[in-house]
Amino acid sequence: MNRKLEPFKREREECNALSDVTNFIAQEIYKLAVIKQYPNEYSEIFNLARNITKELTDLFDQGFNPELEALRDALVDLIVHGATKSDFEGYVSSVLQIENINKLEFGSITPNLESTDNSGEPFDYEKHEHEIKVAAFGVAKQIFFKNRGFKTTIPHKYPPSVIGYRYDYHEALEYYYGLYYHSQVGGNTTTFYHAPYDSFRPYAGRIVDQSKCIEREFLVPDTALSKKESLIYSNSEAIQPMCSLDLLRGEEPKESVIKTTEIRFRLDLSEPLSNDELDRALARLRSVISSAQYSNSVASMLLAENETELIKAYNMPSLKHVEHTEFKRLHKVSLPELNSPHQAKAYLCGLIVLFEHYVRVNSSSDSLSFSWGKNEDGLSTLLRFGAVSIELSKVHGEEGFSAGSVEKGYKLVKEVFNSHIREFQFRRVQFNARLNTKQREKLKGLDPVRLELLHPDDVSRVQEDIERLKRKGRQASVKAQINGSYIITW
């Protein structure tokens, strides 16, 4: 196929792909850090998502896969975050778009999943959709109540449902480095390749800006053009406005319209803003203003009582939105030295090394478990760089995949990875850490950390460990380490 594209279109696809792969890389580094720090909880959340998928399996491939996938993710997030019954009903109602969901009788409808039709009657799509969604709600309700009380100590930076996704980093590299994100044109056919990964955004650290639209209701007068049975224009300038009005008023004339008379904007400067945060805030404000002005134009057209007013409303300036590609660029995660496709390739190589060198995945009949530890093949990181370099060079060619290039990518990934680990460990007791004699001696002169200063989730286990060590004749206490984490020592 011909890969030649218009320069602007090609540039836009490259920018979108870089935004997507940047967010993907950021989320995967975070997930690897969670595996290292919280391997058991990571495994539990992954298997929860896997089991929910199994429970919903019979409802898939009925034309509503996107809604069911969104339901699965919502269930994982609700269960892990300890949502209430009210939270569950409200969130699932919005995902499935079912009104009065709390009044549905559990198991009251069994959907017909058979595709055969012996009645000769036309297929009732709306009935089928309702049956599938009601059945999905019934399954979701059962799953939610069965898994209530889920315990987690992970300080989640992303929706927990992200943990339920597994991706092949080699496939991600092949897709991105192979430029498969470009649409391919051949004759009258355009081919698009879907990325072998999904990218999610982390939770916002803080709300920097807020916008509020002040609205006012206006009654549509009986003399308005929008209430007339037929529209007649007297000059050519009114043709387009009249056609637009005919579409806007619909089958039934509107009795009132809403206009935005003021927009109140609040910017939080209690902490310094970065340039990126300011750019994002101003982009959101522009979107709010442009949307409000468009809605006001529509409202004014519906209120217009003559051609002059209609033409004036129709010609109201259309404010430019922030273009989608630029909006994605502004909102992508910021990672050190990741601003180009070449740097993204390096990060993807680093992900491959980190995963292959440390992550262990064990499977049983009904679950997977993830753990952190050096690969059993005994290779050092230095030899791993060489091994990965050879493997990738066979697929993609030697240029750009030397052991040094792979090592550089690994160091970039490890820098972000270590920052997550530091945050996870800050002021938390590291129960699985081990000290040698020299390290233990360094901590002896430090004052113990009082139990009331510990994280609530750590207190009971600290007391148990200290009591256990006391029975062995060791006077143990909690001490602070140089990275801000705590450890039990004697």
Side-chain angles (χ1 to χ4, degrees):
M1 284 192 177
N2 182 8
R3 287 178 180 255
K4 291 183 179 179
L5 299 168
E6 299 172 12
F8 174 73
K9 185 177 182 181
R10 187 177 183 86
E11 182 181 342
R12 186 176 60 198
E13 289 179 346
E14 285 179 354
C15 188
N16 283 333
L18 182 59
S19 296
D20 289 337
V21 79
T22 300
N23 289 337
F24 169 71
I25 290 166
Q27 86 190 16
E28 293 305 299
I29 296 175
Y30 161 78
K31 286 165 61 178
L32 291 177
V34 176
I35 290 176
K36 183 181 189 304
Q37 190 66 25
Y38 304 96
N40 294 336
E41 290 182 48
Y42 185 100
S43 301
E44 289 171 5
I45 294 172
F46 177 86
N47 288 309
L48 171 66
R50 194 184 190 202
N51 292 334
I52 291 174
T53 302
K54 288 180 181 177
E55 295 277 357
L56 294 169
T57 295
D58 290 342
L59 298 176
F60 276 95
D61 299 325
Q62 299 292 316
F64 306 99
N65 283 11
E67 290 90 341
L68 293 172
E69 288 167 359
L71 175 62
R72 175 196 59 205
D73 291 349
L75 281 171
V76 174
D77 296 338
L78 290 166
I79 290 168
V80 174
H81 283 310
T84 63
K85 179 176 179 289
S86 176
D87 293 333
F88 163 77
E89 290 177 346
Y91 207 86
V92 171
S93 175
S94 66
V95 169
L96 295 177
Q97 298 179 337
I98 299 178
E99 295 182 2
N100 301 318
I101 200 167
N102 57 331
K103 295 181 181 179
L104 291 175
E105 292 183 19
F106 177 65
S108 60
I109 298 178
T110 303
N112 179 13
L113 302 181
E114 299 296 327
S115 58
T116 55
D117 183 4
N118 300 320
S119 66
E121 297 180 0
F123 180 71
D124 190 335
Y125 178 85
E126 290 186 0
K127 179 183 177 184
H128 178 66
E129 178 183 15
H130 183 69
E131 288 179 350
I132 291 293
K133 289 185 175 182
V134 170
F137 170 68
V139 175
K141 189 174 182 181
Q142 194 173 39
I143 292 169
F144 177 74
F145 284 103
K146 182 170 68 175
N147 291 280
R148 289 184 80 176
F150 191 96
K151 300 295 184 182
T152 179
T153 59
I154 301 172
H156 294 278
K157 299 182 182 180
Y158 282 79
S161 52
V162 169
I163 291 174
Y165 290 85
R166 285 185 75 191
Y167 303 105
D168 186 320
Y169 299 151
H170 286 274
E171 289 183 2
L173 177 63
E174 181 179 0
Y175 172 83
Y176 188 74
Y177 185 70
L179 307 182
Y180 287 101
Y181 52 80
H182 282 308
S183 54
Q184 300 184 17
V185 182
N188 296 323
T189 304
T190 302
T191 303
F192 299 90
Y193 292 97
H194 188 273
Y197 51 79
D198 299 288
S199 59
F200 300 88
R201 293 252 328 138
Y203 292 134
R206 66 176 177 134
I207 298 175
V208 171
D209 61 291
Q210 291 179 312
S211 300
K212 182 179 181 181
C213 293
I214 308 302
E215 299 175 334
R216 180 182 168 192
E217 184 177 15
F218 293 83
L219 296 177
V220 179
D222 293 334
T223 53
L225 295 176
S226 62
K227 286 192 173 182
K228 291 187 176 181
E229 290 187 9
S230 61
L231 298 173
I232 302 173
Y233 57 89
S234 60
N235 63 75
S236 59
E237 191 182 0
I239 295 177
Q240 273 305 121
M242 286 288 187
C243 291
S244 296
L245 179 61
D246 195 36
L247 291 172
L248 290 171
R249 65 181 181 171
E251 295 181 3
E252 294 292 333
K254 292 180 171 57
E255 295 301 323
S256 65
V257 294
I258 301 293
K259 278 189 174 185
T260 297
T261 58
E262 178 185 352
I263 292 176
R264 295 175 184 172
F265 178 69
R266 174 183 171 273
L267 189 65
D268 181 8
L269 292 175
S270 60
E271 295 181 19
L273 292 179
S274 67
N275 282 315
D276 287 343
E277 286 175 322
L278 179 57
D279 288 343
R280 288 194 288 268
L282 294 178
R284 285 190 288 267
L285 177 60
R286 170 173 276 278
S287 294
V288 171
I289 294 172
S290 57
S291 296
Q293 183 144 308
Y294 172 77
S295 298
N296 284 353
S297 173
V298 171
S300 295
M301 289 175 67
L302 294 169
L303 292 169
E305 298 180 66
N306 54 59
E307 280 188 3
T308 302
E309 291 180 358
L310 177 63
I311 293 170
K312 180 181 178 182
Y314 179 80
N315 291 328
M316 188 180 292
S318 177
L319 301 179
K320 184 181 177 183
H321 281 268
V322 177
E323 198 267 330
H324 177 68
T325 297
E326 175 63 8
F327 205 82
K328 286 182 70 172
R329 186 193 68 79
L330 287 171
H331 286 79
K332 75 175 187 292
V333 178
S334 179
L335 292 176
E337 297 183 45
L338 207 175
N339 298 297
S340 70
H342 175 75
Q343 292 166 332
K345 184 208 73 174
Y347 264 94
L348 289 169
C349 291
L351 275 176
I352 290 172
V353 172
L354 190 62
F355 182 87
E356 292 186 358
H357 197 66
Y358 289 106
V359 178
R360 310 277 70 80
V361 183
N362 296 308
S363 60
S364 63
S365 58
D366 59 351
S367 65
L368 293 179
S369 64
F370 298 81
S371 59
W372 192 266
K374 289 184 179 180
N375 195 305
E376 294 177 355
D377 60 18
L379 291 181
S380 65
T381 51
L382 191 61
L383 291 175
R384 182 77 58 199
F385 301 146
V388 170
S389 170
I390 292 171
E391 185 180 8
L392 296 179
S393 295
K394 288 178 181 178
V395 178
H396 306 289
E398 293 182 6
E399 186 176 354
F401 291 98
S402 67
S405 297
V406 172
E407 180 180 5
K408 183 178 179 181
Y410 173 78
K411 288 179 177 178
L412 289 170
V413 168
K414 201 66 187 297
E415 180 183 349
V416 181
F417 174 87
N418 286 337
S419 70
H420 284 305
I421 295 298
R422 284 193 296 271
E423 289 180 25
F424 287 151
Q425 294 184 353
F426 186 67
R427 292 185 177 177
R428 295 300 301 268
V429 179
Q430 304 309 302
F431 292 101
N432 296 322
R434 295 292 179 266
L435 299 174
N436 58 38
T437 304
K438 188 175 180 180
Q439 292 170 327
R440 205 178 297 283
E441 284 297 322
K442 282 186 177 181
L443 294 175
K444 278 189 175 180
L446 299 180
D447 293 332
V449 178
R450 300 195 307 274
L451 292 181
E452 60 266 26
L453 298 179
L454 301 181
H455 191 282
D457 291 335
D458 293 341
V459 174
S460 61
R461 187 172 173 185
V462 165
Q463 290 174 324
E464 291 172 4
D465 283 5
I466 288 177
E467 183 60 32
R468 176 176 55 80
L469 290 167
K470 185 178 180 180
R471 290 196 296 269
K472 293 182 178 181
R474 292 171 175 166
Q475 296 299 315
S477 62
V478 178
K479 299 289 182 74
Q481 300 191 94
I482 195 168
N483 66 352
S485 68
Y486 300 145
I487 193 166
I488 298 174
T489 184
W490 54 90

